[in-house]
Amino acid sequence: MLPPTFALSVFLMAATTLLVGMLLGWAWGSAAMASALSVRSASLFAQQSQTLKSLLDPTSPIPIARQIQIHTFHGIFLDPRSSAVYGAFLFIGTFAMGALRAYLPSLTLLSVFGSIVMDVACTTGPREFLNKITIAALTPSAVLPTAQYTIPEQLIIPTTFYVAVAIGTVILIFPESLSHVWLTLLLESFWTKTLDLLRLQSETLALRPSDHEAWTKLNARGTQLRTSLVAATDAVSDQLKLIDLDTSIGRLGPADLKKINLELKSIMFRAR
């Protein structure tokens, strides 16, 4: 979703947005976990622990730890009040991330990855003590399990490694500045189509007015070129929105490129 092929400044901004989204999801998931544990019933947990202890079979070829996992995943430790809190937090958080994505499309990465981490934290919560329970703990004096606030690390740590490697890749393998990207797009998308349109106009001077078939073909080509030129102009202008983030040093800076961009529509209308 975030390949290391962008300009360095754009990639840094996108990666920062992604990581901030994951941290927000982590924070909301941790709040959900703390709230859910605060309403968990100690008496119900003790009863569930006794039930699990009675279900364990030391003579079974399945290890005790594996038996605990199986029963846990089958919901033996679920608490309705705790699950309701997780559900409420998940609903509110998902709605907020969805609204953020709808009203601020530029923060799509933040909302998507924030939702992923939040979902992991909230849906893993009812079994957050998996692999933490031992036979010694399954006694009448068992206490509530400790919240595992580090569950999202399974996603965040690999992501940070990827971002670090990707930044190195962008700098060493695919070094590219926003100015270079914009100038290349200007040449390939705008000027090429503008010159094609001007050549088409030159071709019309060599046609006879009575050659209706040739005029029809040229008109179709002209319509197609004008449409593509308008789209190219919009694409070039949109690419300039982030030019102030450019970190390169060259003859043409962001201010110069903005001046050039102001004249593009005028050139486009004259070419048409």
Side-chain angles (χ1 to χ4, degrees):
M1 194 171 186
L2 189 61
T5 54
F6 298 104
L8 177 61
S9 53
V10 175
F11 184 84
L12 288 176
M13 183 189 69
T16 301
T17 303
L18 184 153
L19 292 174
V20 169
M22 297 185 79
L23 292 177
L24 288 176
W26 189 1
W28 188 254
S30 297
M33 192 172 294
S35 301
L37 289 175
S38 67
V39 300
R40 181 180 287 274
S41 171
S43 59
L44 177 60
F45 176 74
Q47 181 182 353
Q48 292 168 336
S49 300
Q50 288 297 323
T51 302
L52 176 60
K53 185 177 180 180
S54 64
L55 293 175
L56 297 178
D57 184 6
T59 62
S60 173
I62 302 176
I64 295 297
R66 179 59 179 165
Q67 293 183 44
I68 294 176
Q69 289 183 358
I70 293 173
H71 290 299
T72 301
F73 275 112
H74 279 78
I76 194 171
F77 287 107
L78 287 178
D79 186 313
R81 291 180 294 182
S82 179
S83 298
V85 172
Y86 277 114
F89 269 84
L90 182 61
F91 173 80
I92 295 172
T94 303
F95 180 83
M97 289 295 180
L100 184 67
R101 182 177 181 180
Y103 288 101
L104 296 173
S106 59
L107 296 180
T108 296
L109 278 176
L110 185 149
S111 63
V112 169
F113 283 88
S115 298
I116 292 173
V117 175
M118 180 176 57
D119 179 70
V120 169
C122 290
T123 57
T124 309
R127 52 180 183 271
E128 77 279 350
F129 46 92
L130 184 63
N131 293 327
K132 299 295 182 180
I133 303 175
T134 62
I135 297 299
L138 298 175
T139 62
S141 60
V143 296
L144 289 175
T146 303
Q148 302 299 310
Y149 296 112
T150 58
I151 288 177
E153 285 184 354
Q154 301 173 26
L155 294 175
I156 295 176
I157 291 178
T159 302
T160 54
F161 273 99
Y162 165 75
V163 170
V165 173
I167 291 175
T169 302
V170 170
I171 295 175
L172 300 177
I173 301 178
F174 304 112
E176 195 173 38
S177 66
L178 270 177
S179 298
H180 174 73
V181 172
W182 190 82
L183 290 173
T184 302
L185 185 65
L186 178 66
L187 175 62
E188 296 178 353
S189 298
F190 181 82
W191 285 118
T192 301
K193 291 180 174 59
T194 301
L195 293 175
D196 289 341
L197 189 58
L198 293 176
R199 293 190 189 98
L200 180 66
Q201 293 175 1
S202 299
E203 292 179 19
T204 60
L205 300 176
L207 292 180
R208 292 179 299 175
S210 59
D211 193 349
H212 299 292
E213 183 178 354
W215 279 103
T216 301
K217 292 180 180 179
L218 283 180
N219 183 59
R221 286 176 54 195
T223 301
Q224 182 180 2
L225 285 174
R226 284 191 293 270
T227 302
S228 61
L229 181 59
V230 172
T233 304
D234 292 337
V236 170
S237 299
D238 290 341
Q239 188 70 31
L240 202 66
K241 293 179 179 179
L242 301 176
I243 196 64
D244 290 326
L245 298 175
D246 195 16
T247 55
S248 64
I249 299 176
R251 291 186 177 182
L252 296 177
D256 300 314
L257 298 183
K258 288 180 179 179
K259 291 179 181 178
I260 296 174
N261 185 67
L262 292 175
E263 302 298 330
L264 292 184
K265 289 187 177 180
S266 175
I267 297 173
M268 178 192 68
F269 287 125
R270 292 179 182 179
R272 293 175 62 185

